[in-house]
Amino acid sequence: MIVGIGVDVVDVARFEATLKRTPGLRMRLFTEVERVLATQSLAARFAAKEAVAKALGAPPGLAHLDAEVRTGEHGRPELHVSGRVAEVAAALGVTRWHVSLTHDGGVAIAYVIAEGRGASEHAPDHAPRTGAG
């Protein structure tokens, strides 16, 4: 069952300018594994982190570092969550993530689907939402 869906779009040139203007931002947004990637790949991963928040209903307290996009076998993106992101996902019954990334024509796009059994009786007071935000 789909627990939540999130999508986000990032303008790559604007994102690159922001990273140059604010050097510490790379450390606050990306894990050590992610930081070494090219700007367009970072933009797609940032979009994925934002899409994760949307798939979870955008509850307070989520941290970008708690959602890491790794390159799996055969180049497929894989989402690894920890901290508050993992906590909210577990409360909502998320057991599996689906991630799709692309970057072309100066934009990066990420789709995230949270799949699982649905919210438990101990779920947070918010309901997951879907769509753009």
Side-chain angles (χ1 to χ4, degrees):
M1 134 179 206
I2 293 176
V3 176
I5 300 171
V7 63
D8 199 65
V9 179
V10 174
D11 179 292
V12 176
R14 184 174 169 205
F15 185 74
E16 182 174 34
T18 301
L19 288 178
K20 286 180 180 175
R21 188 174 55 252
T22 313
L25 193 58
R26 188 179 296 253
M27 298 290 283
R28 290 195 311 265
L29 297 177
F30 301 105
T31 66
E32 189 175 338
V33 170
E34 296 169 318
R35 284 183 212 130
V36 299
L37 299 170
T39 303
Q40 61 190 13
S41 292
L42 289 178
R45 280 159 172 74
F46 178 74
K49 292 166 186 269
E50 293 291 305
V52 165
K54 292 172 183 176
L56 294 176
L62 299 182
H64 288 94
L65 293 176
D66 289 346
E68 179 183 65
V69 180
R70 300 178 190 166
T71 303
E73 190 175 357
H74 307 294
R76 185 178 195 175
E78 296 177 351
L79 184 63
H80 295 264
V81 298
S82 61
R84 176 85 172 125
V85 172
E87 174 187 309
V88 172
L92 292 173
V94 176
T95 57
R96 185 171 180 195
W97 296 96
H98 303 274
V99 182
S100 182
L101 308 175
T102 190
H103 45 75
D104 189 31
V107 296
I109 302 170
Y111 287 93
V112 171
I113 297 173
E115 181 183 355
R117 63 189 180 284
S120 71
E121 62 187 54
H122 303 292
D125 292 339
H126 65 277
R129 66 179 182 173
T130 60

